[in-house]
Amino acid sequence: MTTQAPADVAALLSSLMSTDPGRPRVTWYGPDSERVEFSAKTLGNWVAKTANLLVEELDCEPGSTVAIALPVHWRSVSWLLAAWAVGVHVVVFDENLGPARTDLSFDVLVTDRPSSPPRGSTEAALVVVALPSLATRWTGDVPPGAIDAASEIRLQPDAFNPYAAPTPDSPALTIGELTVSYGDLFTQARTAAGEEGTRLLTGAGPSRAVEAYLAPLVTGGSVVLHHDLTGLGTDERAHLEQQEQVTATDLGPAL
């Protein structure tokens, strides 16, 4: 039986929780031999905390625009899901996609590279994201006026209740010149998904979030992120696939 796409992030997380709250849903391998794993319950907590930070500290709401410039990382997954839970317009920046959009104004920029912000985002409220494993603070000096995501998120509540919902035709995600509405976001993810319960190994970044992050989750599956998947040898990748009980591997571009 083919499952229908969830209506929103809350429905997605509720479905994952009701199916198996302890099952691994997001696993990340980092550049320093790091491995981080999140169950549906833990992922839901991070999403709720991040969404509360967006609303309470950054005044985001449906209609706000949040720029995300992050690499292949579990924090990318939690930031994207949190932004969609709030109902904002997420614009993913990736240097491989060419010049950044200049026709949009941004309310918030979420990045691990504050010293080189994407063009057009310098007026946005800055959120700096530390990448090392389970870092609890930004390593170094936080830029003046910026929010240190690692330290501030932990102070937020574990439950999130949105004040308002975006309309189906509101923009949910812009990648390059392509924009996906809230009415199509989860439907597109369901269309891109493989078999039910797929455990997908991928090296994709936020630019491919719909097919690489959302798709396995909307079918009750999970995702294994690797910071440099194409850099692994054949035997190394095979070992990782066996170790993580991977059922599908995505060797598409690491955008």
mmCIF file of all heavy atoms in Angstrom, residues 2 22 125 188 228 230:
data_model
loop_
_atom_site.group_PDB
_atom_site.id
_atom_site.type_symbol
_atom_site.label_atom_id
_atom_site.label_comp_id
_atom_site.label_asym_id
_atom_site.label_seq_id
_atom_site.Cartn_x
_atom_site.Cartn_y
_atom_site.Cartn_z
ATOM 1 N N THR A 2 0.606 2.163 -0.891
ATOM 2 C CA THR A 2 1.400 3.377 -0.993
ATOM 3 C C THR A 2 0.845 4.448 -0.054
ATOM 4 O O THR A 2 -0.348 4.744 -0.073
ATOM 5 C CB THR A 2 1.384 3.914 -2.433
ATOM 6 O OG1 THR A 2 1.912 2.908 -3.288
ATOM 7 C CG2 THR A 2 2.222 5.162 -2.546
ATOM 8 N N GLY A 22 11.756 5.403 18.317
ATOM 9 C CA GLY A 22 13.163 5.178 18.615
ATOM 10 C C GLY A 22 14.002 4.783 17.430
ATOM 11 O O GLY A 22 15.231 4.709 17.536
ATOM 12 N N ALA A 125 19.203 39.165 9.450
ATOM 13 C CA ALA A 125 19.657 38.744 10.779
ATOM 14 C C ALA A 125 20.525 37.508 10.609
ATOM 15 O O ALA A 125 20.159 36.579 9.886
ATOM 16 C CB ALA A 125 18.458 38.451 11.672
ATOM 17 N N GLN A 188 5.861 16.541 -4.017
ATOM 18 C CA GLN A 188 7.055 16.299 -4.819
ATOM 19 C C GLN A 188 7.993 15.311 -4.133
ATOM 20 O O GLN A 188 8.608 14.463 -4.795
ATOM 21 C CB GLN A 188 7.781 17.612 -5.101
ATOM 22 C CG GLN A 188 7.092 18.490 -6.121
ATOM 23 C CD GLN A 188 7.980 19.597 -6.640
ATOM 24 O OE1 GLN A 188 9.191 19.614 -6.405
ATOM 25 N NE2 GLN A 188 7.391 20.538 -7.351
ATOM 26 N N ASP A 228 31.251 13.253 2.405
ATOM 27 C CA ASP A 228 32.019 13.115 1.168
ATOM 28 C C ASP A 228 31.788 11.725 0.589
ATOM 29 O O ASP A 228 32.728 10.935 0.449
ATOM 30 C CB ASP A 228 33.505 13.356 1.435
ATOM 31 C CG ASP A 228 34.355 13.341 0.164
ATOM 32 O OD1 ASP A 228 33.796 13.571 -0.919
ATOM 33 O OD2 ASP A 228 35.568 13.083 0.267
ATOM 34 N N THR A 230 31.067 10.596 -2.438
ATOM 35 C CA THR A 230 31.729 10.256 -3.698
ATOM 36 C C THR A 230 33.239 10.080 -3.523
ATOM 37 O O THR A 230 33.907 9.552 -4.409
ATOM 38 C CB THR A 230 31.470 11.324 -4.769
ATOM 39 O OG1 THR A 230 31.909 12.599 -4.290
ATOM 40 C CG2 THR A 230 29.981 11.402 -5.099
#
